[in-house]
Amino acid sequence: MSFNEWREEKLEDVIEFNPSETIKKGKVVKKIGMDKLMPFQRKIEGFVVTKYTSGTKFRNGDTLLARITPCLENGKTAQVSILEEGEVGFGSTEFIVLREKPGISDRNFIYYLSISPKLRDIAIKSMTGTSGRQRAQVDVIKNSIIKLPPIEEQRQIANILSSLDEKIEINNEINKKLEEMAQALFKHWFVDFEFPNENDEPYKSSGGEMVESELGMIPKGWKVTKIGDVTKIVRGASPRPIQSYLSNTGMPWVKISDASESNTKYIYKTKEFIKNEGISKSRVVLPGTLILSNSATPGIPKFMLIKACVHDGWLIFNDYKDISKEYLYYCLIREREGILSLSNGSVFRNLKTDILKNYKIIIPDNKVLNKIQNYFFTTNKEIEKRTIENEVLKNIRDTLLPKLMSGEIRVPVEEEK
């Protein structure tokens, strides 16, 4: 197939923008909020069921493109797949809905076009509005010209890129199940106190001795203590003015936004870096370090997979006594609401270091903790392995994407009979 068969087309002639759909006001339907879209991830992370009032409407196969800053720049774009056949859902008014035109464009190709530099550059350059509330202009995008391959080649391009995304989604699903199992086991052992006793029977329901504590009844030999007594907690540090030290190279710079934008328990990459002269003014952490967000979206624990400088919106844990970092990680997840109830701030909640240091948790007997430690460690290693593999797959996809979309790399297309 010749490259000459690629045609220059106006986007509105090959893509249906914000297609017309009807949902009766007050009808209970599926809603997808902006928070359910992850950067450059095809799969949507979930939905809520609520009454329809207003919003953009869509069907399965449609692409949702965030049009507002910083969601557009961050790559919040996804393909709808959570609806039933013929079902219409709705979502944020800040979505642009893109739909295929039968026989002209392919729905999967449209998704990859929307995350490609080709369309993203058009959308970002079209943004207007006041600082912090800029939006991409639909009319500008619709009237832009692109070179479009024939539909058979569109499908082949989408198939190649989809195969990579499908593997990423499988890895994410396995990681999600592993994490759910680990959290369920933590609850069973350390909240329900049904860890195996010396006869391999569940402790509490088998009549294990319980004693009074300030946090209620706990197994004999366990204790209650402050988090600050079992680990060292320090706050991250940001060199000022931060813009003077940011760069495209240097030490990775972990910002507070990384807490909410990562759909894994690990921080394995950053968008920005600190220049060498700013490193000494920040706080450097090593791979394996446990950190906790303490502002904006506080109370989210993450493990570091890289050496990096850490923003002052994070708390850093080191030097453990009587507990492991894996135990503390699951404990912080279980106790998040209790910890956040002590935070302050009217617009953004802030979790002060002293609040966390003085927060009391249950410390299990060392024998019990040692029994489960290997399971936690092995589970984390499995999740870590798939997280790293996904990063490799994403890099391959993101390298191929612009080359396939521009025709620099061609795919073989079988003639349809």
Side-chain angles (χ1 to χ4, degrees), residues 142-300:
K142 288 168 68 172
N143 287 294
S144 297
I145 305 294
I146 65 162
K147 204 150 191 175
L148 187 76
I151 192 161
E152 296 85 1
E153 192 166 357
Q154 291 179 43
R155 290 171 181 149
Q156 290 299 325
I157 290 170
N159 284 342
I160 290 172
L161 298 170
S162 289
S163 66
L164 295 167
D165 270 330
E166 284 163 9
K167 175 59 176 171
I168 291 169
E169 288 164 8
I170 289 170
N171 281 345
N172 283 338
E173 194 60 33
I174 293 172
N175 281 353
K176 181 181 177 182
K177 294 298 182 186
L178 287 171
E179 181 63 14
E180 287 174 352
M181 290 167 60
Q183 290 189 32
L185 189 60
F186 180 90
K187 178 181 182 295
H188 189 64
W189 280 40
F190 303 111
V191 178
D192 301 332
F193 307 126
E194 296 290 19
F195 55 90
N197 62 15
E198 61 273 9
N199 298 319
D200 224 21
E201 299 169 333
Y203 182 85
K204 187 176 180 180
S205 58
S206 297
E209 186 175 356
M210 305 289 288
V211 297
E212 282 279 2
S213 81
E214 53 192 306
L215 294 182
M217 300 297 289
I218 62 174
K220 185 179 180 181
W222 293 29
K223 60 184 179 181
V224 172
T225 190
K226 299 174 182 176
I227 293 179
D229 291 339
V230 292
T231 185
K232 181 181 178 182
I233 307 173
V234 296
R235 190 177 179 182
S238 302
R240 309 290 187 193
I242 185 59
Q243 294 302 324
S244 300
Y245 295 97
L246 293 180
S247 173
N248 292 323
T249 59
M251 181 77 76
W253 172 236
V254 183
K255 300 190 299 183
I256 195 62
S257 59
D258 292 312
S260 55
E261 290 180 5
S262 171
N263 64 342
T264 172
K265 68 199 302 178
Y266 293 104
I267 299 290
Y268 53 91
K269 66 176 182 178
T270 62
K271 297 176 185 175
E272 296 177 308
F273 300 84
I274 291 285
K275 296 176 184 177
N276 290 336
E277 56 267 31
I279 294 175
S280 62
K281 299 178 182 181
S282 185
R283 188 85 67 181
V284 178
V285 298
L286 299 176
T289 303
L290 176 62
I291 60 177
L292 181 79
S293 59
N294 76 328
S295 65
T297 312
I300 300 178

Side-chain angles (χ1 to χ4, degrees), residues 50 78 118 139 148 160 182 202 255 259 280 312 337 341 343 383 387 411:
T50 185
K118 182 183 292 188
D139 286 343
L148 187 76
I160 290 172
K255 300 190 299 183
S280 62
D312 55 12
E337 289 307 314
S341 68
S343 61
I383 295 174
T387 299
V411 294

Side-chain angles (χ1 to χ4, degrees), residues 1 9 47 49 68 74 98 118 126 136 154 171 191 203 207 220 279 291 313 325 327-328 350 415:
M1 183 172 284
E9 299 278 6
F47 58 88
V49 177
I68 191 169
N74 291 343
L98 310 176
K118 182 183 292 188
S126 77
Q154 291 179 43
N171 281 345
V191 178
Y203 182 85
K220 185 179 180 181
I279 294 175
I291 60 177
K325 62 185 176 183
Y327 177 85
L328 181 59
N350 188 280
E415 291 186 10

Side-chain angles (χ1 to χ4, degrees), residues 32-46 58-66 71 75-82 95-99 107-108 110-112 114-115 120 165 169:
I32 299 172
M34 188 67 74
D35 62 311
K36 302 302 182 185
L37 272 62
M38 301 302 294
F40 299 104
Q41 179 176 300
R42 181 176 65 173
K43 188 175 181 181
I44 293 168
E45 286 297 307
F58 40 75
R59 295 177 181 265
N60 269 358
D62 291 346
T63 290
L64 305 182
L65 173 67
C71 300
K76 285 205 169 194
T77 309
Q79 188 178 47
V80 181
S81 61
I82 51 91
F95 290 145
I96 299 174
V97 181
L98 310 176
R99 180 176 294 176
R107 62 175 62 181
N108 296 319
I110 288 173
Y111 166 73
Y112 289 108
S114 71
I115 65 169
R120 280 178 51 76
D165 270 330
E169 288 164 8

Side-chain angles (χ1 to χ4, degrees), residues 1-3 5-9 14 103-106 109 113 118 146-155 157 404-407 410-411 413:
M1 183 172 284
S2 168
F3 184 68
E5 295 184 33
W6 287 42
R7 310 178 310 276
E8 285 194 343
E9 299 278 6
V14 296
I104 298 174
S105 55
D106 174 75
F109 179 85
L113 176 65
K118 182 183 292 188
I146 65 162
K147 204 150 191 175
L148 187 76
I151 192 161
E152 296 85 1
E153 192 166 357
Q154 291 179 43
R155 290 171 181 149
I157 290 170
L404 289 168
M405 288 294 171
S406 66
R410 303 297 302 281
V411 294
V413 179

